[in-house]
Amino acid sequence: MNEIIYRTHNCGELCKKDIGKNVVLSGWIQKLRNLGSITFIDLRDYFGITQLILSKKLKKKNPELGKEFIIKISGIVGERVSKNYKIYTGEIEVFVSQLEILNYSTKPPFLIEDQTDGDEVSRMKYRYLDIRRNPIKNNLKLRHKISLEIRNFLSKNGFLEIETPILINHTPEGARSFVVPSRIHSRKFYSLPQSPQLFKQLLMIGGIDRYFQIVKCFRDEDARSDRQIEFTQIDCEMVFVNVNDILSFFENFIKHIFKEVKNIQLEPFKRISYSDAIKMYGTDTPDIQIDIKFLELKDFFFKRNSFFLKKKEFTMGVSIPNRSHYTCEKINFIIEQIKQKELEIETIFWLKYFPDKTFFSSMNSFMNNEEDLVKYFKANPGDLLFIFYGIKTEKKHKLNQLRLEIIHCLNLIEKRKKTLKPLWIIDFPLLEWNENIQKYKPFHHPFTNPKKEDVHFLEHFPENVRSQSYDLIINGVEIGGGSIRIHNKNIQNLILKHLGLSTKEIQSQFGFFINAFEYGVPPHGGIAFGLDRLISILEGKENIKEFIAFPKNNSGKDLMINAPYFLEKNKLKELNLLL
């Protein structure tokens, strides 16, 4: 019995050296161009496109041919007259001698081309068609390449890949968890993991030296362009390490990924504390591609007895490099743009520090210490200084909005997109007070170790305690985060009690974990990176859905399979969910 041969070559590999060969190709019809005597077909498969030539006679035998039909052809490779050097197969074409339609296609809901006319809703509803397009297909190839590079790098550095459970007990970790009803155990529920946090710590207690996992995690929260309700995490943990050990190792890890995958050489990662990030940028996820940061000025004016400014609760300044040549009209336009954003700034002053070290300022009527001011700013000749006063202390978070508006007004957005600036944010608060529930909440999670020098605050002044934690920020996007974990049972219990948990609740929710502390917990720490975000940063894109094979929309719905959906009554009854 003769076996069916669907192809001798793929649609992306034939070139000039193959001229004269008899070949068999199979794929989808990308385009048809009927010129009367002959018909040109672009045949597409996973690997690329090959141009076919059909005689009038052969086309007449197959009059119904259309886009996205799947065909198998036999023919001879010839040299292409009108060459297309943009594709690998652009110097050849195949003269078709036989054609077989393997499957038919209705008209697609959008163009299956690099530049499609499909909107996001259509593309998600027919995602299997969207995957045929090069942009999505290439994104999935990139995802595979990165995942492979991650596995190779970590494996070579002594990490063991271990799978942790998906069906677990609910534990409070900050976000809402998805729950799964149990049919066998009536009215009991599993929870889907927000992260493998406790299991990877238990692996360290179990004597594993270095663990990693590329793992699915689930959070029942609002989706958006850079967040999905199910997402993929690069999860890592190590024993006998300190903060510097982890930051140094994973800086090299990220540098390796960027270099191997995209040939991008990253500069050394800066490290700044959480408190400094808030002071300078108004956010703990600052984009530092453009060197614009705020400086508190209240002390400066107070010491110089500038009554008009020192009486204000909060006075901030910012130095803009190489902008002293701006006209007063342009500066006033920028100020008006900023005021329209309702950032609760009373007044904005400015000062030009010219290259010849002279000054011109909107504060001339009451300012006589410009030289001291530029020294305090550490400004360079040619800089333009802005001073914002009247910002309320509790509104410091608006500084980030102000900074982004300044960047926008100065037309620095395009420049910002050309560089990659990684940054470690360290020393986050351990706990924060939540007024709504009148309880402390963990800033990250309740298993983060406090800084050694702050432990004495823990019992009576927990809000003053900093943690041994860190986040990696690249261009204003949080790529990953982690901490040194608690390995002291007393500290762990105290933190859980600060969260308002009783001894009984601690035992009920975390008993299995707390019991493990009786058997020797090594100092350990780890980090987790968002794979979807990491890939999007590598490609310079913002929408992580473009790098996920079958993503949810911003409402957490899968438009293709129409999930989530209702369960029938008999299924609800089986799960003991009927009221």
Side-chain angles (χ1 to χ4, degrees), residues 89-129:
T89 60
E91 294 184 87
I92 60 92
E93 55 197 1
V94 176
F95 297 90
V96 178
S97 56
Q98 290 184 329
L99 185 150
E100 178 185 352
I101 296 174
L102 299 178
N103 229 322
Y104 297 81
S105 174
T106 57
K107 183 181 178 181
F110 51 82
L111 292 175
I112 313 296
E113 295 180 7
D114 290 2
Q115 299 298 323
T116 183
D117 59 351
D119 58 24
E120 185 174 90
V121 172
S122 297
R123 289 173 50 222
M124 291 186 71
K125 185 175 180 180
Y126 299 95
R127 187 62 166 182
Y128 47 87
L129 297 180

Side-chain angles (χ1 to χ4, degrees), residues 183-360:
R183 176 185 59 83
I184 299 172
H185 305 282
S186 178
R187 299 192 181 278
K188 291 187 178 180
F189 296 82
Y190 298 102
S191 179
L192 300 182
Q194 296 180 30
S195 78
Q197 183 62 46
L198 294 181
F199 288 100
K200 66 179 178 178
Q201 290 191 239
L202 289 167
L203 286 170
M204 300 300 102
I205 297 173
I208 300 299
D209 194 76
R210 294 183 173 192
Y211 140 95
F212 85 97
Q213 185 180 188
I214 300 178
V215 59
K216 278 281 188 182
C217 300
F218 308 87
R219 293 181 184 174
D220 187 8
E221 56 187 12
D222 296 337
R224 60 191 190 202
S225 63
D226 66 343
R227 177 185 292 168
Q228 289 270 294
I229 59 174
E230 57 173 310
F231 57 96
T232 305
Q233 194 164 282
I234 309 162
D235 202 56
C236 306
E237 199 79 6
M238 311 161 75
V239 294
F240 304 120
V241 288
N242 57 36
V243 169
N244 187 62
D245 293 330
I246 290 179
L247 299 193
S248 297
F249 178 86
F250 285 103
E251 177 173 332
N252 290 331
F253 165 74
I254 293 294
K255 285 179 176 178
H256 173 84
I257 298 300
F258 276 68
K259 179 65 177 174
E260 290 299 314
V261 175
K262 298 291 287 186
N263 197 29
I264 296 172
Q265 188 72 51
L266 294 176
E267 61 186 39
F269 295 11
K270 290 185 177 181
R271 300 182 190 183
I272 65 171
S273 69
Y274 168 84
S275 60
D276 284 343
I278 297 299
K279 286 178 185 176
M280 293 189 294
Y281 304 105
T283 177
D284 57 2
T285 58
D287 184 345
I288 60 168
Q289 292 173 86
I290 298 169
D291 189 24
I292 293 178
K293 50 182 177 281
F294 292 102
L295 183 67
E296 288 193 22
L297 295 172
K298 188 174 181 180
D299 287 346
F300 173 84
F301 289 114
F302 188 86
K303 290 176 182 178
R304 283 155 184 78
N305 205 31
S306 298
F307 178 76
F308 183 65
L309 290 178
K310 75 176 185 179
K311 68 179 181 179
K312 296 302 176 184
E313 184 178 0
F314 200 61
T315 307
M316 302 294 291
V318 64
S319 178
I320 314 296
N322 306 314
R323 293 297 189 277
S324 66
H325 62 279
Y326 276 14
T327 63
C328 295
E329 183 181 9
K330 185 163 188 175
I331 292 171
N332 288 331
F333 172 77
I334 292 171
I335 290 172
E336 287 305 312
Q337 290 292 108
I338 291 170
K339 285 182 177 179
Q340 288 177 18
K341 296 299 177 180
E342 298 182 357
L343 297 173
E344 301 182 33
I345 301 167
E346 289 184 27
T347 302
I348 303 174
F349 293 118
W350 51 265
L351 183 149
K352 298 183 184 184
Y353 183 26
F354 293 113
D356 64 1
K357 298 186 179 181
T358 58
F359 309 98
F360 183 62

Side-chain angles (χ1 to χ4, degrees), residues 427-439:
D427 298 349
F428 286 86
L430 183 69
L431 303 169
E432 58 181 342
W433 183 254
N434 187 302
E435 284 291 339
N436 294 330
I437 60 175
Q438 290 293 296
K439 290 181 182 178

Side-chain angles (χ1 to χ4, degrees), residues 202 205 510-521:
L202 289 167
I205 297 173
F510 300 103
F512 71 98
F513 182 64
I514 297 299
N515 291 343
F517 277 70
E518 300 292 338
Y519 300 96
V521 178

